[in-house]
Structures are given as structure tokens and as C-alpha cells.
Amino acid sequence: KRRLFSALSPILGLQLVILAVFGVKGFTSTRIAWLFNVDLWLLTLFVSTLISLIVWNLSNDTVQPPFFLLSVSFAFLMSVVWLDLVANEVVSILETFGMLANISTSILGLTVLAWGNSVGD
């Protein structure tokens, strides 16, 4: 089970990074013309599939793989990307509620969004 998740994480993780960096445009209109003239998501899907096959072949469920530190670092990076995506969505939802309630974005930024940003402190 651990081997399967370790092998799938590069495929799903790199696609998530594209979503976080480029948004939906990363899947529709971002092309790498200087390299292969293919879509960015397709190139990362190909590269991450190769990485996943390497991870699958070099690991098992009982022994820690030689690339364990790299895998843990990648998992930490993915948690940061997830937090960024969730925080952006929460801010967007609060802005939408503010627009529906006729509250200016300046007031929202000074009150609700600032409070939500400092809750973790």
C-alpha cells in the first residue's frame, strides 16, 4: 500500500503544482514551444509517469527506499501547495460573500480576511 502511494504521488503532485502555479490555464493553454511544442500538463504527466515507474521498481513495502529523503521533501512541498490552494479558495469564497452582502473589499481585507490570516498565530 505504501509503495502504491509513493509511486502515484509524483503523477498527482506535479499536476497539482501546475494547477497551483498556472491555474486552469496550465491545462488548457500553456505550451512549451521551446522544448517539444507540447502542452505543459502533458509533458509533466510523461515525466512524472517515468518517475513513478522508477519509484515503483526501486521500492517495496518493507524496506526504506534509497530516495526516502527526496520523497519526504516532495511530500512537504505538496503539503505547502495544498495549503496555498486551500487558502486561496477560502479567500475567494469570503470575497464572494462580501460582494453578495455589499461589503467593500477594503473593509473585508481590514477585518475578516485579516482576522482569518492571524488565527494561526
Side-chain angles (χ1 to χ4, degrees):
K1 188 173 181 178
R2 181 177 17 178
R3 181 180 180 197
L4 177 66
F5 289 144
S6 295
L8 288 177
S9 65
I11 295 174
L12 303 174
L14 290 178
Q15 299 300 317
L16 185 67
V17 169
I18 290 175
L19 181 65
V21 173
F22 296 106
V24 178
K25 288 184 180 181
F27 294 101
T28 57
S29 62
T30 305
R31 295 184 69 79
I32 302 181
W34 55 270
L35 192 58
F36 294 116
N37 197 19
V38 296
D39 289 336
L40 177 64
W41 71 269
L42 190 61
L43 181 65
T44 56
L45 183 65
F46 177 73
V47 170
S48 62
T49 302
L50 289 177
I51 294 170
S52 291
L53 290 173
I54 292 170
V55 168
W56 179 263
N57 288 326
L58 293 179
S59 65
N60 61 37
D61 281 336
T62 58
V63 180
Q64 189 174 359
F67 48 83
F68 180 72
L69 184 61
L70 183 65
S71 177
V72 170
S73 301
F74 183 73
F76 177 75
L77 176 69
M78 288 300 100
S79 66
V80 170
V81 170
W82 270 112
L83 288 173
D84 178 56
L85 284 172
V86 169
N88 285 336
E89 290 304 315
V90 168
V91 168
S92 297
I93 289 170
L94 289 174
E95 285 178 349
T96 302
F97 286 151
M99 289 163 71
L100 291 173
N102 268 344
I103 301 172
S104 72
T105 55
S106 300
I107 299 297
L108 276 175
L110 290 172
T111 57
V112 176
L113 298 179
W115 294 337
N117 192 25
S118 64
V119 165
D121 297 340

